[in-house]
Amino acid sequence: MLQTAENGLSDDVVTVIEAPRQSDLMIELIKRLKPQVVVTGIAHFEAVTSSAFVQLLDATGEIGSRLFLDISDHFELSSLPGTIGVLKYLSGTPLPSHAAIVCGLVKNQVYSDLEVAFVISEEEAILKALSKTVEILEGNTSLISQYYYGCIFHELLSFQLTDRHPNLERRSEKSKSVEVIRFTTSAISVLSNAELSISDEGYPLVRMDVDQWFLPVPSLVKAAIFESFARQNMTESEIDVTPCIKQFVQTEYGFPTDSGTEFIFSDCSQALFSKLVLCCIQEGGTMCFPDGSNGNYVSVAKFLKANTVHIPTNPERGFKLTEEILIKALETMKKPWVYISGPTINPTGLLYSNQEMENILSACARFGARVVIDTSFSGLEFEYEGRGGWNLGSCLSKISSSGNPSFCVSLLGGLSLKLLSGALKFAFLALNEPILIEAFHSFPGLSKPHCTDKYTIKKLLSLREQKGGLLDVAMEQIRILENRAKCLKEVLENCGWDVLRPCAGVSMVAKPSFLGKAVKVNHSLKHTGSGEKDATYEIKLTDASLREAVAKTTGLCVNSGSWTGIPGYCRFTIALEESEFEQALACLVKFKSIVDN
């Protein structure tokens, strides 16, 4: 197994044994092998009653094994749903802490286009870990999908279930003294440091640490979304987004889209990127991240236990990746995969010019690197008219003949920011290497966009091609972002931060001048009385502690240098609601006064 140079932790050895589904055979196997984790379904003839489930609970509970039971084959959305013994058990008895129920809506006669899966658990640690895992690998669910599925489930659950018991009447779980397998050290390390979520303990937080769009949604976008939900019996041609996505990437980036290029769509770019990481792992590659990369994607690679390498970047060049730096890094590396955010770089908000990109690709071609260009945060350039744009097709045609044959470029993108919609999420991936395409499709479980999303995306992309309309609205929103960037820069500099001024996008980075000082913070965001002196503790301000200190003292959440990959530099997002942005500025001023005192 590989040893990760990143944290010195050895990979956990996992042995998978395929087992029978029939409960008596499964229980016999559990008792003999004493596995740490059991993932199984249940036979149809045993699903009606809860006896087989109870026996599985007892057998796994006795040896301290975690049980994940899949009831997808038995959970049917129809006008006459069948009886499921597992749910009958849950109506009267709490689920033991070592067990969880997994269900995907694969047998769905009511809403055939509904693709949802859920987990039932009554252990807080499991729920927290799973929520962070999903956020790392899949990204946040769009608001439209949340409301859509929420309304459907409300309708489906509006009828009364028989034999239900209030929580107080459910039989208590028998106490177990057997120790259950805990999460792996590597998983805990990634989930603890991923900076995905933070405990608010019931008090509001100002989130400048999320890649989401909270500016007002334009009426044109609202109309397109509403039309997609109002339409019925949409044809395949109306929801076929491939032609307009091809046109979009050709127009925006000059990316070649011949017959060998395949487009894959998902709800979120993180879901697509996680599959690319698995492809990298499968061929024994190394994921290379320039310092100053999106911390969410770095967390994905670490969580999936990919071999990762950080490529140093130069502060004099705005922490951009350069040809010279890249050549030096790739000289001793085997099977490199290079991640590049561009044209707009997340988190710095700087831009790669077409010439800079051509130089980088030339270096990658020389060493046969697989390149993943992430365009998800592009399209909001402050000086749009003068930026020139990319022509990747021309760049690639110049270097394809002289480059290493394993060299290829994959284009990853998301349209939420470009279409000015925080409610709608849509991501695409363009692959043109046959071996990579085959490897990508070998990994199942990709969340696909709903047909209403596809209809809306196609509608909005066509509006982008028209003069005026959506492009004019986009320019208005870009001016708002530019003004906010200037305002935030001024406030940060007045509060003792060294700011790297962005040229585009929704985020910027800055370095505080007060690292090394100490501040006193409350254990919770609620201010305690003056007599409770032991309710506070002291934090020395470092790269690792600054995020916690700012959140605990002001309620403002930012990304630390651990997330940005640039020592000392925090990341601030600016696409907030107006009132939230004003609160964020006030929090920065407040933290400055706390540090001074």
Side-chain angles (χ1 to χ4, degrees):
M1 303 295 286
L2 293 174
Q3 182 84 8
T4 56
E6 184 73 26
N7 50 26
L9 299 174
S10 61
D11 283 7
D12 302 281
V13 178
V14 178
T15 302
V16 179
I17 299 177
E18 294 189 15
R21 178 171 289 193
Q22 192 170 322
S23 64
D24 57 344
L25 298 176
M26 173 64 81
I27 291 169
E28 184 69 23
L29 201 61
I30 291 171
K31 290 180 178 179
R32 290 180 180 274
L33 296 181
K34 293 180 170 55
Q36 293 176 311
V37 179
V38 175
V39 182
T40 185
I42 198 166
H44 282 280
F45 68 91
E46 296 177 312
V48 179
T49 66
S50 59
S51 58
F53 177 53
V54 172
Q55 291 173 11
L56 282 171
L57 289 177
D58 292 340
T60 51
E62 287 175 4
I63 63 172
S65 173
R66 286 199 182 274
L67 173 64
F68 293 90
L69 184 70
D70 186 357
I71 62 170
S72 303
D73 289 343
H74 317 294
F75 193 93
E76 184 173 332
L77 297 181
S78 68
S79 57
L80 295 173
T83 302
I84 303 176
V86 173
L87 300 183
K88 191 174 181 65
Y89 171 90
L90 293 179
S91 68
T93 310
L95 192 63
S97 59
H98 73 282
I101 308 301
V102 183
C103 183
L105 304 187
V106 295
K107 299 183 69 175
N108 185 351
Q109 297 180 15
V110 181
Y111 300 98
S112 57
D113 57 356
L114 182 65
E115 293 189 14
V116 174
F118 58 86
V119 174
I120 303 173
S121 174
E122 297 191 49
E123 186 189 9
E124 187 177 4
I126 280 283
L127 295 175
K128 284 184 176 180
L130 286 177
S131 64
K132 288 188 175 184
T133 301
V134 170
E135 192 171 348
I136 283 179
L137 300 180
E138 301 294 331
N140 292 311
T141 304
S142 68
L143 292 176
I144 286 295
S145 296
Q146 291 182 43
Y147 282 119
Y148 176 73
Y149 296 139
C151 290
I152 289 177
F153 273 102
H154 178 73
E155 293 175 6
L156 293 173
L157 298 176
S158 60
F159 55 86
Q160 294 294 313
L161 297 174
T162 59
D163 298 327
R164 292 190 307 164
H165 299 272
N167 282 332
L168 293 177
E169 295 182 12
R170 297 169 82 201
R171 294 190 298 273
S172 61
E173 177 194 355
K174 297 178 182 179
S175 60
K176 300 287 185 181
S177 59
V178 179
E179 185 176 357
V180 180
I181 182 176
R182 299 178 180 179
F183 302 115
T184 63
T185 306
S186 56
I188 293 174
S189 174
V190 175
L191 295 179
S192 299
N193 299 308
E195 296 190 5
L196 297 171
S197 57
I198 190 169
S199 176
D200 60 7
E201 300 175 5
Y203 299 93
L205 296 172
V206 181
R207 305 304 300 264
M208 296 189 87
D209 61 341
V210 291
D211 293 313
Q212 294 188 46
W213 183 271
F214 294 107
L215 268 64
V217 178
S219 57
L220 281 173
V221 178
K222 291 180 181 178
I225 294 175
F226 180 79
E227 182 181 340
S228 71
F229 280 88
R231 285 292 309 272
Q232 294 183 1
N233 302 320
M234 290 182 284
T235 64
E236 284 297 321
S237 61
E238 290 179 300
I239 60 175
D240 182 11
V241 295
T242 302
C244 57
I245 295 294
K246 280 186 175 181
Q247 181 62 44
F248 173 78
V249 298
Q250 288 173 346
T251 303
E252 290 290 311
Y253 313 113
F255 188 77
T257 56
D258 54 25
S259 58
T261 304
E262 180 167 345
F263 282 85
I264 304 164
F265 307 113
S266 183
D267 294 326
C268 186
S269 57
Q270 277 173 251
L272 295 168
F273 182 74
S274 64
K275 296 294 186 293
L276 285 175
V277 173
L278 292 176
C279 293
C280 172
I281 295 172
Q282 187 179 71
E283 71 172 26
T286 299
M287 289 298 305
C288 305
F289 294 96
D291 286 344
S293 295
N294 186 318
N296 291 339
Y297 291 115
V298 177
S299 294
V300 168
K302 290 181 180 179
F303 187 80
L304 294 174
K305 299 181 182 179
N307 187 19
T308 59
V309 169
H310 287 270
I311 301 176
T313 51
N314 195 327
E316 283 74 26
R317 299 292 299 272
F319 303 104
K320 287 185 179 182
L321 187 62
T322 64
E323 183 180 16
E324 298 77 21
I325 292 174
L326 191 55
I327 289 174
K328 186 176 180 180
L330 298 181
E331 280 178 340
T332 58
M333 201 177 300
K334 293 182 179 180
K335 298 183 178 179
W337 286 57
V338 180
Y339 169 83
I340 302 170
S341 177
T344 300
I345 305 168
N346 184 15
T348 63
L350 298 186
L351 295 169
Y352 281 119
S353 67
N354 188 68
Q355 185 59 54
E356 288 174 324
M357 200 64 223
E358 183 175 337
N359 295 340
I360 290 172
L361 292 178
S362 296
C364 291
R366 176 177 168 183
F367 296 97
R370 310 270 199 202
V371 182
V372 178
I373 300 179
D374 181 15
T375 66
S376 304
F377 305 94
S378 303
L380 299 172
E381 292 78 18
F382 300 158
E383 301 296 333
Y384 184 83
E385 296 297 333
R387 72 180 181 90
W390 277 5
N391 189 349
L392 292 176
S394 176
C395 295
L396 294 174
S397 63
K398 291 179 184 179
I399 61 180
S400 59
S401 58
S402 59
N404 189 303
S406 64
F407 167 74
C408 69
V409 176
S410 303
L411 195 71
L412 178 66
L415 297 179
S416 176
L417 298 182
K418 296 177 184 65
L419 300 180
L420 314 176
S421 172
L424 184 68
K425 287 194 173 184
F426 185 92
F428 63 87
L429 174 65
L431 301 175
N432 52 23
E433 172 59 49
I435 296 176
L436 193 54
I437 294 173
E438 183 180 356
F440 189 95
H441 287 299
S442 68
F443 300 107
L446 184 67
S447 58
K448 299 177 182 178
H450 190 261
C451 62
T452 54
D453 293 341
K454 293 180 180 179
Y455 183 92
T456 306
I457 290 297
K458 188 170 183 178
K459 182 83 174 181
L460 292 176
L461 285 176
S462 66
L463 289 175
R464 274 180 58 94
E465 298 297 320
Q466 303 173 12
K467 291 185 178 180
L470 193 59
L471 282 179
D472 286 349
V473 175
M475 293 307 299
E476 294 175 10
Q477 301 279 36
I478 289 172
R479 294 286 79 82
I480 293 174
L481 293 175
E482 184 179 15
N483 291 332
R484 285 191 177 183
K486 292 177 181 177
C487 183
L488 178 59
K489 179 178 182 291
E490 181 180 347
V491 170
L492 283 170
E493 288 177 340
N494 291 336
C495 292
W497 295 71
D498 181 20
V499 182
L500 184 62
R501 184 177 179 179
C503 302
V506 297
S507 71
M508 62 191 296
V509 298
K511 182 178 182 179
S513 60
F514 41 77
L515 290 179
K517 293 186 177 182
V519 297
K520 289 186 177 181
V521 302
N522 294 93
H523 279 284
S524 72
L525 293 176
K526 181 180 179 180
H527 294 293
T528 56
S530 58
E532 300 180 33
K533 296 181 180 179
D534 59 345
T536 63
Y537 62 101
E538 191 173 84
I539 293 182
K540 184 176 181 180
L541 299 179
T542 65
D543 237 5
S545 65
L546 188 62
R547 171 179 162 88
E548 178 189 4
V550 175
K552 288 287 187 179
T553 55
T554 68
L556 175 66
C557 298
V558 300
N559 293 117
S560 71
S562 300
W563 189 95
T564 64
I566 311 173
Y569 279 81
C570 295
R571 194 276 295 255
F572 306 81
T573 60
I574 57 177
L576 307 177
E577 294 179 359
E578 184 64 33
S579 60
E580 290 273 302
F581 183 70
E582 294 297 329
Q583 287 181 49
L585 298 181
C587 289
L588 290 169
V589 175
K590 178 181 177 181
F591 188 70
K592 167 64 174 172
S593 65
I594 292 172
V595 172
D596 289 343
N597 294 330

